[in-house]
């Protein structure tokens, strides 16, 4: 079962930063936070993951709160191609092994 | 990053027939692959975990006799939907994990297969 809560939808103006929140208040100490996105009718694409430190790569930044109960994915300069459903996943679940369980995600629409 | 392919990308079949979907890891060997199903406007739902050389592990509520999974090699897993019916129409997605990647490494997803059962 998914252990994350995300807003169902968000809009962002093109060129602006998109900040996507995720609540994972029951995360355990050895669980990572992963972010994937899914563009319509395609397979999910890996974005970034982290344990407790903030992370940055060429796609995005991940900010994890000190208590690790929530995180924010930041797309610094959103483009129209960033319109997708964004999924926040906690992994690995010590009770279930290697499986990813997707929540409902956030549908991000980037507006011209 | 690692590449996972699926074949076919879409398929239309008649009710009662069986359909096989292939999932291949193109540039790495995958000891573990996963199969998901996604209905329109819904999230991905994990169906089963496919382990090379052993039986698949199915999620609760997934009929193992209807969704046959074979993972006979380190680069290929197949999902066969037997006696398909219209309610099996869905988007089927596989993912693969690199061996020795550790529990925290990401999974790589295929592009999906759209199944329509008439």
């Amino acid at each position: 079962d998914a252990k994350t809560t995300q807003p169902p939808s968000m809009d962002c103006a093109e060129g602006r930063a998109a900040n996507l929140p995720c609540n994972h208040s029951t995360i355990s100490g050895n669980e990572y936070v992963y972010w994937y996105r899914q563009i319509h009718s395609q397979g999910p694409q890996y974005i970034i993951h982290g344990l407790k430190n903030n992370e940055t790569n060429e796609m995005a930044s991940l900010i994890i709160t000190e208590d690790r109960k929530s995180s924010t994915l930041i797309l610094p300069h959103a483009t129209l191609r960033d319109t997708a459903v964004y999924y926040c996943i906690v992994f690995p679940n010590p009770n279930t092994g290697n499986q990813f369980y997707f929540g409902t995600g956030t549908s991000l629409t980037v507006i011209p | 990053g690692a590449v996972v392919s699926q074949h076919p990308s879409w398929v239309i079949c008649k009710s009662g027939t069986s359909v096989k979907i292939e999932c291949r890891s193109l540039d790495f060997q995958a000891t573990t692959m996963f199969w998901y199903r996604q209905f329109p406007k819904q999230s991905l739902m994990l169906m089963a975990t496919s382990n090379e050389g052993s039986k698949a592990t199915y999620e609760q509520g997934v009929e193992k006799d209807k969704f046959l999974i074979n993972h006979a090699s380190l680069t290929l897993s197949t999902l066969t939907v037997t006696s398909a019916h219209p309610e099996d129409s869905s988007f089927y997605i596989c993912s693969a994990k690199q061996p020795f990647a550790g529990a925290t490494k990401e999974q790589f997803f295929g592009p999906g297969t759209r199944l329509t059962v008439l």
Side-chain angles (χ1 to χ4, degrees):
Chain A
D1 293 333
K3 294 174 59 175
T4 62
T5 304
Q6 299 176 252
S9 64
M10 292 181 65
D11 292 339
C12 176
E14 188 178 17
R16 297 281 196 169
N19 298 287
L20 292 92
C22 179
N23 183 291
H24 32 80
S25 58
T26 60
I27 192 170
S28 62
N30 63 342
E31 289 183 311
Y32 283 67
V33 180
Y34 276 74
W35 284 83
Y36 278 78
R37 72 180 182 184
Q38 185 181 27
I39 296 170
H40 182 63
S41 293
Q42 297 182 25
Q45 176 190 22
Y46 167 79
I47 301 173
I48 199 167
H49 74 282
L51 181 62
K52 54 183 178 181
N53 297 322
N54 297 337
E55 303 288 344
T56 296
N57 63 20
E58 64 277 5
M59 290 184 68
S61 295
L62 174 60
I63 307 298
I64 303 175
T65 58
E66 192 169 342
D67 63 7
R68 304 209 323 122
K69 293 185 177 182
S70 65
S71 61
T72 301
L73 178 74
I74 301 173
L75 307 178
H77 305 287
T79 70
L80 298 179
R81 287 178 294 182
D82 292 323
T83 292
V85 178
Y86 287 76
Y87 295 100
C88 167
I89 305 166
V90 294
F91 177 83
N93 185 323
N95 296 321
T96 58
N98 295 323
Q99 293 83 354
F100 273 173
Y101 293 97
F102 285 77
T104 53
T106 296
S107 178
L108 174 69
T109 301
V110 180
I111 303 170
Chain B
V3 179
V4 175
S5 71
Q6 284 184 239
H7 178 79
S9 56
W10 59 270
V11 57
I12 302 173
C13 70
K14 293 182 178 179
S15 185
T17 61
S18 295
V19 175
K20 180 184 286 187
I21 302 170
E22 294 184 348
C23 176
R24 293 182 185 272
S25 54
L26 296 185
D27 51 2
F28 67 100
Q29 293 180 326
T31 53
T32 304
M33 291 184 172
F34 304 89
W35 286 96
Y36 297 82
R37 180 168 53 180
Q38 185 175 34
F39 293 109
K41 298 190 183 300
Q42 294 188 22
S43 185
L44 285 79
M45 184 180 70
L46 179 66
M47 298 175 67
T49 301
S50 171
N51 297 299
E52 188 267 337
S54 65
K55 291 183 178 180
T57 304
Y58 291 81
E59 294 295 303
Q60 191 173 6
V62 178
E63 301 175 57
K64 59 183 67 177
D65 294 331
K66 180 168 183 63
F67 299 99
L68 302 179
I69 292 173
N70 184 285
H71 193 160
S73 79
L74 287 171
T75 59
L76 174 64
S77 175
T78 60
L79 168 68
T80 301
V81 183
T82 63
S83 186
H85 288 93
E87 57 265 30
D88 298 321
S89 298
S90 188
F91 192 49
Y92 291 86
I93 306 170
C94 72
S95 70
K97 185 178 168 183
Q98 292 177 296
F100 315 117
T104 58
K105 281 293 183 181
E106 67 269 27
Q107 295 179 20
F108 299 96
F109 286 81
T113 297
R114 176 78 57 192
L115 170 63
T116 302
V117 184
L118 301 177

